[in-house]
Each structure stands twice: as C-alpha cells, then as structure tokens.
Amino acid sequence: METIDVKRARRLALARAGLLKPEWTGMPRRARGKGRRARQAAHRVIARFGYLQLDTVAVAGARSHAIVLMSRLEGFDPGLAEKLLQPGEPLFEYWGHEACWMPMEHYPVFAFRREEFQHHPWWGDLIGQHPGIAEALTHRIREEGPLRSLDMEGRGSRGWWDLKIVKRVATALWSAGVLAIRERRNFQRIYDLTERVIPERWRRGDLAREDALEVLLLQALKGHGWATLGTLAQTWRFRNAREDLLEALGRLAGKGDVRPCALTGEDGRCIPGWVRPRDLELADRLARVRPRQDRGVLLSPFDPVLWDRGRVRLLFGFDQVLEIFKPVARRIYGYYCLPVLAGEQLVARVDLKVDRRNRQLNLLSSRFERQDDRGQPFPADREALRSALSRYAESIDLHPKGIPV
C-alpha cells in the first residue's frame, strides 16, 4: 500500500481544491465581471469538485456558493453566483453532496438516485399519497410554464388543499426526476418539466448504479486528493453502501485509476484511504512548495475543504464548528463563522455581518488559532486576516469596519 504524510495530504487537498497557486491547481486565479469568461471560470471550479453546495444564509454579504467561488477566483462578482443556473448553461440542480449545482454531464450519473427518490428520503411515498396534487401540479406547469414556489400561493391554489403539501410534492417530483429546476430568482426555485430543462442528449443513456459509483468516486478524489472511504461516501451522501463502494474502488484500482493509500499520522497511526496515481506524484512535488503565509482568504463554512470535520482536524489540526443552530449564549465563535486560510494553515476565524444601509461589512468577532509567547497573534497571521477581510469586502463592494491593524 502507498503512504502519504499529513503535510503532503494537506497540500494536495489545497491544490485539488484550487486554493494554491494556479501552477499547482490548474485553475484560474481571477474572474472579473459578469461575462462569459467569468462564468467559464466558475464552471471550472464546479467541475473540479463535481458540485457547488447551495445555502440560503447571506448574513455575511454573500451566500456560501458565492463565497466558495470568491475564495478561488479573485474579483469574482457574488451576484453572478446567484445567476449561474440559467437555461442553456451547463449546470443542473439536484441532490449531490446536498442540494447542489452540478455539471450537466453528471445528469445521467444520478439516474440511480432519481429512481431511489421515487419515494422521497424524508417524506416517503409523497407522490403516491397525493396523486391528485402531483397530477395537477405537473399539468399546471405543462400548460402555464415554469412555476415558482411562491406562485403556488397564487391563482389556482385555492383548490390545492394544503399549500405546504403542494410544495413538498413539487420537491418530491423534482427529486424523482419528473420536474427540474429551471433557474433560481432571489434564490427561489423555479420548477419546469424535466424535458424542457435537461437537453435530450443528457436524458439518454442513464448509467447503471455500479458505473455511476465509479464515476462519482473518481470525481470525489479529483476534488479531495487523498480521502478516506468515509469522506468519499459523504461527498455524495451514500448511506449503507460500504460494500458497494469498496467493490467500485476495487474495480477502479484494477484499471489503475486509483490506489489504496494510507495516511501516516503524526502520532504514528496509519489511516487507510484512496488516491489517484497522478495525485501522488503531485503530492511529492508539493512537498517542496512554500505557500505564502501572510495573504489570507475567507472560506465558507460549507467549503468542500471544510465540511468533513474529522478530515479538517486530521489535515489542519483545526476544529471546524458551525454554530448557526446553537443558542446565542452557547456560541464560541459566532453565528456564521468563516475560517481564514493563509498558505496551508487555517489561522483564524471571523464572524461577519453586513449593514447594507450604511454599506459596511462589520467584523463582529475574530479569533486567532495560535499566539506567540506573549499571547499575541503572529504578525503573518494578523496580516493574513487583514488581507482576507479586505479582499472579501472589495468583492461584495462594501467598506470593512473593525478590521484589526
């Protein structure tokens, strides 16, 4: 079995995530404006991971999917992130890691999930329990065109029984592949018939589940670098599929596409995992790199590098915490805490809140991860925090307030 140490695995993770220099990531560094080039740069970031997770919270001035793109593409307009899903664009929305935008070529890959979700994972056989609502909703969209959730409250809703059930049925029909998300406006889903959203070429040739597993495992490794079986499963929210995933990895290993690779921890433990052969070679080259430590970038708490808390602790020695759902009195870092990446380390975390009326980005709190012998932040970490906040404030076109000097 191949082995990889923590430093190589960490740098490989950042390179594959597009968070080191372009010569190591193969990704663009800047994307200004709202034109085709900026869209293409965003598509390249999404293609690297295979998904862009969506989230509603915008208290820091931009939603998570925008922050993920802004952290990789200097000058990226967060407004563009809200408009990436448009008719004719090579993305579709579906259940990937969570609700995500994904490259259109993955639509046939998720045929197995659309089949599984004929019974919704949360609500069961909702379509079967409410066939009249499902038929009426589908008929209305066919005859009247795309429909927002908000529109379900308007004309025609009086005879639809429970509006809450109608909205759930719409979600169930989307999950089952009968409907698709045409676009989002003000972050509201707009439903349409699948055949009017997904091009015919992608609605043909659905992959069998075992083939889909191979595609998705390779895609996950493409974004992670080195990863455990648990991380690979969580990437696409596979549950109770350990044996199927191991069999798929065995097939990929037989083709030479992946290798088993153990991470050798600083405590001497060996943690089994997987890696692509080309990424092992990249990891060896990255061992000679010296990432700059005094320039920082803010990461979304839902960033692909951060959502696996165990992995973050293993590679970065950082306890990633999301406190949105905690009572105020129990929060340590803040409501929507964004970690600061500097070089290859997570050196600080900040809680931000936008004041649109006064065009300010307010720093509610900041916390450095390490201090010198006097209990003070290291100068490089302080500068990394300052540069990260300045870059972010510029991207959302607001004045930063409360940045430490």
Side-chain angles (χ1 to χ4, degrees):
M1 181 181 289
E2 301 280 357
T3 60
I4 188 171
D5 61 26
V6 170
K7 182 176 79 171
R8 284 174 170 81
R10 179 174 60 244
R11 292 182 178 182
L12 177 60
L14 293 173
R16 296 310 301 164
L19 290 167
L20 294 181
K21 291 182 178 180
E23 53 263 38
W24 298 111
T25 67
M27 303 278 277
R29 171 178 283 178
R30 296 180 178 86
R32 298 189 180 278
K34 297 184 179 181
R36 174 54 53 182
R37 288 188 177 181
R39 284 182 175 272
Q40 289 174 341
H43 294 157
R44 286 182 64 182
V45 174
I46 297 171
R48 173 61 61 88
F49 301 112
Y51 66 91
L52 181 63
Q53 181 180 345
L54 304 174
D55 188 70
T56 60
V57 179
V59 67
R63 295 186 176 94
S64 174
H65 43 287
I67 298 172
V68 169
L69 297 172
M70 292 158 60
S71 64
R72 288 148 174 87
L73 303 170
E74 194 169 347
F76 186 81
D77 187 333
L80 177 58
E82 302 298 329
K83 300 176 182 178
L84 287 174
L85 188 71
Q86 296 282 335
E89 292 294 328
L91 299 174
F92 73 103
E93 182 171 330
Y94 194 60
W95 299 111
H97 175 66
E98 295 289 350
C100 298
W101 290 340
M102 296 183 281
M104 188 65 78
E105 59 263 30
H106 281 354
Y107 189 82
V109 178
F110 282 92
F112 75 93
R113 182 156 289 170
R114 293 191 293 275
E115 180 63 30
E116 291 174 358
F117 284 8
Q118 297 296 316
H119 285 210
H120 196 275
W122 304 334
W123 305 314
D125 187 16
L126 200 63
I127 298 172
Q129 293 167 7
H130 303 280
I133 294 179
E135 183 179 348
L137 182 59
T138 305
H139 176 78
R140 181 177 177 185
I141 291 174
R142 180 178 292 110
E143 296 300 317
E144 299 181 17
L147 186 69
R148 296 180 302 167
S149 297
L150 192 63
D151 295 331
M152 295 174 190
E153 302 173 8
R155 185 173 63 85
S157 64
R158 183 173 299 174
W160 286 35
W161 304 285
D162 187 341
L163 182 61
K164 184 177 181 180
I165 293 296
V166 175
K167 292 183 177 182
R168 286 186 176 182
V169 169
T171 301
L173 289 168
W174 164 62
S175 301
V178 178
L179 300 180
I181 308 301
R182 183 177 183 85
E183 59 183 307
R184 282 183 179 254
R185 293 179 194 159
N186 298 322
F187 206 63
Q188 275 229 339
R189 289 172 176 162
I190 299 179
Y191 295 96
D192 202 350
L193 300 179
T194 296
E195 57 265 31
R196 298 201 297 227
V197 176
I198 308 298
E200 184 180 1
R201 61 182 287 213
W202 300 119
R203 287 185 279 113
R204 297 197 306 257
D206 288 348
L207 267 65
R209 185 174 185 273
E210 65 177 26
D211 296 326
L213 292 184
E214 292 185 22
V215 171
L216 293 175
L217 287 168
L218 276 177
Q219 178 68 72
L221 284 172
K222 183 179 177 182
H224 290 307
W226 174 88
T228 64
L229 178 64
T231 296
L232 296 176
Q234 289 182 57
T235 302
W236 304 111
R237 297 307 188 206
F238 288 118
R239 294 177 175 85
N240 303 317
R242 176 182 173 83
E243 294 306 317
D244 290 344
L245 294 175
L246 286 173
E247 288 178 9
L249 286 165
R251 293 192 298 271
L252 289 170
K255 300 173 189 177
D257 293 331
V258 305
R259 291 182 188 172
C261 179
L263 182 137
T264 55
E266 295 176 356
D267 58 359
R269 288 189 304 153
C270 281
I271 300 170
W274 298 85
V275 71
R276 300 187 307 167
R278 71 185 71 177
D279 288 336
L280 271 179
E281 298 170 5
L282 174 60
D284 288 338
R285 297 199 302 273
L286 287 169
R288 300 187 292 272
V289 172
R290 292 178 61 86
R292 185 169 176 174
Q293 298 292 321
D294 61 343
R295 290 193 62 187
V297 61
L298 295 184
L299 298 184
S300 160
F302 302 108
D303 193 282
V305 170
L306 295 178
W307 54 252
D308 187 336
R309 290 182 59 179
R311 176 181 169 85
V312 177
R313 194 176 299 113
L314 180 66
L315 297 186
F316 296 91
F318 184 89
D319 187 18
Q320 168 60 10
V321 178
L322 184 64
E323 299 183 302
I324 289 177
F325 303 109
K326 284 185 179 181
V328 174
R330 292 178 56 194
R331 292 177 192 153
I332 299 172
Y333 304 109
Y335 174 75
Y336 195 75
C337 181
L338 290 82
V340 178
L341 175 70
E344 62 180 307
Q345 298 293 338
L346 295 165
V347 300
R349 50 187 111 200
V350 297
D351 188 29
L352 303 176
K353 186 174 183 179
V354 163
D355 178 356
R356 291 289 182 188
R357 175 177 294 180
N358 295 309
R359 296 184 55 77
Q360 287 184 343
L361 174 66
N362 295 321
L363 176 62
L364 302 182
S365 68
S366 61
R367 182 78 65 93
F368 289 95
E369 292 300 304
R370 51 191 184 183
Q371 291 83 32
D372 61 18
D373 294 338
R374 298 172 298 164
Q376 297 297 313
F378 292 105
D381 292 354
R382 190 184 291 276
E383 176 57 25
L385 173 60
R386 189 203 64 77
S387 66
L389 288 171
S390 296
R391 171 177 164 174
Y392 182 78
E394 181 181 358
S395 294
I396 61 176
D397 194 26
L398 293 176
H399 303 295
K401 182 179 180 182
I403 293 181
V405 294

